[in-house]
Amino acid sequence: MSDLDFFNLVKKKETNLVLSLDVTNKKDFFTILKQCAPYICALKLHIELNSFLKGKTLKKLICYSKKYEFIIIEDRKFADIGNTQHLQAQELIKKGITHFTSHCITGKKALESFPSEAKLFLISDMSCEDSFFSDIIDLRPIMHKKSKEYFYNIPQVIGFVSQYSIFTYPRSIILRPGIRLHNTIKKDSKGQNYNKPTLSPGVCWVVGRDIYQAQNPQKVAQQYQKLFKKNKKKWFIKPTNTSYV
Ligand code: 5IU
């Protein structure tokens, strides 16, 4: 699927929800996925913690993603030299996974080296406390400027992971983690920061524990979709400037 398909999928399924299913138990993983599939545009994995996702089971998941129309994103956070990340991505592409997150601190050459089939979301800042990107030294102005530059110049780059709206034309997808519907929990015990879901152009809410630890994951996923539907015009507005929202 191309980046354009991502937009079409959001339009068609009327949801910007990305389910981050950091669940280590196979049965729980598939039960929650089946409940939430109609309400998500993408499923975000950490394939090393979803260790059952190999061979036939991975193939089954990929078939399932086509049938129920969601994109699979491996949250791989690549951060190596060009040759190494090319090889790493190639192995995952062989297994049918094409969408990845990647750090951009490695620079242009390393990013250009990804296989042409790779679709990348560049990590332009992080949601966790004490992150170098925002809390230790504020690297955001440089990271956002560079991310945009990479988006324009490197065809594999289709979007960002960010707490901010890095507007670009043609439009990018912004994955935004650190989201909870009911903002009574503002942090976890390990430095994660949470915000309420707000709708801005191209922003997809990346939600993990708020859904998979809920008593009724399906109901919560449905609530996110409802919120999107209510304000969906905002998501499709063509950005006009480069301000951060
Ligand atoms: N994730 C973040 N913050 C980031 C990046 C990735 O939370 O800055 I880059 C991932 C980690 C986890 C998911 O897989 O998004 C969020 O999970 P919870 O909604 O359970 O906090």
Side-chain angles (χ1 to χ4, degrees), residues 40-67:
I40 64 172
C41 62
L43 169 71
K44 188 176 78 61
L45 305 173
H46 285 118
I47 217 154
E48 87 276 17
L49 74 84
N50 311 126
S51 57
F52 46 86
L53 288 179
K54 48 191 170 214
K56 272 188 192 161
T57 312
L58 182 57
K59 274 191 191 144
K60 190 179 126 188
L61 175 67
I62 290 166
C63 288
Y64 195 75
S65 75
K66 287 178 182 150
K67 188 170 170 196

Side-chain angles (χ1 to χ4, degrees), residues 1-12 41-42 71-73 98-100 116-121 150-152 154-160 168-175 202 204 235-236:
M1 277 192 183
S2 72
D3 50 331
L4 206 84
D5 289 326
F6 207 125
F7 276 94
N8 287 338
L9 203 58
V10 172
K11 203 171 182 177
K12 187 174 169 196
C41 62
I71 285 167
I72 295 177
I73 304 168
T98 50
H99 289 66
F100 309 106
S116 57
E117 303 93 324
K119 312 253 175 262
L120 304 174
F121 299 94
Y150 296 149
F151 175 82
Y152 282 118
I154 305 174
Q156 293 95 320
V157 176
I158 63 163
F160 314 101
T168 47
Y169 188 78
R171 209 154 24 133
S172 55
I173 293 279
I174 298 152
L175 303 180
C204 291
W235 199 90
F236 295 101

Side-chain angles (χ1 to χ4, degrees), residues 86-96:
H86 175 95
L87 293 169
Q88 289 170 321
Q90 204 171 44
E91 288 310 302
L92 289 160
I93 290 166
K94 275 188 209 160
K95 292 177 182 163

Side-chain angles (χ1 to χ4, degrees), residues 20-22 44-46 49 75 77 101 103 123-128 161-163 177-180 188 192-194 206-212:
S20 178
L21 204 41
D22 297 337
K44 188 176 78 61
L45 305 173
H46 285 118
L49 74 84
D75 194 359
K77 299 186 177 73
T101 58
H103 282 290
I123 299 165
S124 311
D125 53 75
M126 292 189 75
S127 62
C128 49
V161 185
S162 180
Q163 299 299 305
I179 303 275
R180 265 184 189 270
D188 72 4
Q192 172 74 307
N193 291 312
Y194 287 111
V206 176
V207 185
R209 284 164 283 180
D210 198 29
I211 293 179
Y212 69 74

